[in-house]
Amino acid sequence: MLYLFAKLLLTPLAWLLMRPRVKGLRHLFFRGKAIIVSNHWSLPDPILLALVCPRVVHFMAKKELFDHPAARFALQKLLFAFPVNRKQADMASLKQAMSVLDKGWVFGIFPEGRRSVTGELDMLEKGAAFLALKTGAPIIPIYSDPRTYRKFRINMVVGSPMDAKAIAAEHRGKAADVVTQAIADKIRQLQLQMEA
């Protein structure tokens, strides 16, 4: 409820002050479950995605951020985020993400696993691909411009939905690797599209 209130209150302000320029915005108007994947360059990235996406987005965040009570409240109530242990395979967080998708909701993840120091796309983890293959949820790729705060303007490109099972159909045994590479290639294509 608090998430929805904050979204209703802050989204018009974000569109007024940061004048979002979102190419392919139509791809964010969909029904049913989906996994939103994006490059990760700043701590507020989930907030920007939540403001731009018309649907409620559930996020996964490193468990250390939940140590402070105020941060835990903001993450859980304002971003519908839940903790993940990045130092080991965290099956509990994957099950929670699958539960979100099984309910027909939207899950947001930054497959780099951490913020990029250079602003360039780092190597991706396989979690997003694994979830898409397990749940059949389409993947919505987004490239977010690292210069947003310097220009004080949200600049994103949203790609068309990706079907993980179709991508991996001819690659048994390497499905997660193939889908992960496809996600990376798509995000880089979106970057080139923005720069063009």
Side-chain angles (χ1 to χ4, degrees), residues 43 55 69 119 141 148 154 170 186-187:
L43 195 59
R55 297 275 302 279
T148 286
I154 298 173
E170 298 179 7
K186 187 62 178 179
I187 291 175

Side-chain angles (χ1 to χ4, degrees), residues 2-183:
L2 192 54
Y3 178 110
L4 295 174
F5 177 76
K7 188 173 176 65
L8 287 171
L9 182 67
L10 297 176
T11 297
L13 286 175
W15 283 84
L16 178 65
L17 297 176
M18 300 191 78
R19 301 162 295 130
R21 183 166 54 193
V22 186
K23 293 180 182 177
L25 182 63
R26 67 187 182 280
H27 297 307
L28 291 177
F29 289 86
F30 56 85
R31 292 184 178 182
K33 62 187 174 184
I35 301 169
I36 291 179
V37 298
S38 177
N39 58 313
H40 193 19
W41 51 269
S42 169
L43 195 59
D45 285 346
I47 297 172
L48 297 183
L49 286 183
L51 289 173
V52 167
C53 186
R55 297 275 302 279
V56 170
V57 185
H58 298 252
F59 291 97
M60 186 185 285
K62 63 180 181 179
K63 69 181 185 69
E64 291 82 2
L65 293 176
F66 291 80
D67 290 342
H68 191 279
R72 183 169 59 249
F73 176 84
L75 286 164
Q76 291 176 337
K77 302 298 183 183
L78 295 178
L79 281 174
F80 283 171
F82 54 90
V84 58
N85 187 345
R86 299 188 307 174
K87 297 177 182 176
Q88 63 186 42
D90 190 343
M91 291 309 296
S93 63
L94 283 175
K95 286 179 181 177
Q96 194 160 353
M98 283 191 277
S99 174
V100 166
L101 294 167
D102 287 342
K103 292 172 182 172
W105 295 344
V106 181
F107 176 64
I109 186 170
F110 301 97
E112 292 165 280
R114 59 188 56 81
R115 283 171 285 161
S116 170
V117 176
T118 63
E120 295 298 319
L121 190 68
D122 287 336
M123 185 177 294
L124 306 190
E125 303 288 343
K126 299 176 188 176
F130 173 82
L131 287 169
L133 290 164
K134 277 285 187 184
T135 64
I139 299 167
I140 312 291
I142 294 179
Y143 177 75
S144 177
D145 190 350
R147 298 167 298 178
T148 286
Y149 293 110
R150 193 169 73 229
K151 294 186 172 184
F152 204 68
R153 182 169 195 177
I154 298 173
N155 201 4
M156 294 179 180
V157 183
V158 184
S160 56
M162 302 170 67
D163 184 337
K165 292 186 177 180
I167 292 168
E170 298 179 7
H171 302 275
R172 290 185 180 179
K174 296 183 178 179
D177 293 319
V178 171
V179 174
T180 299
Q181 185 59 53
I183 293 170

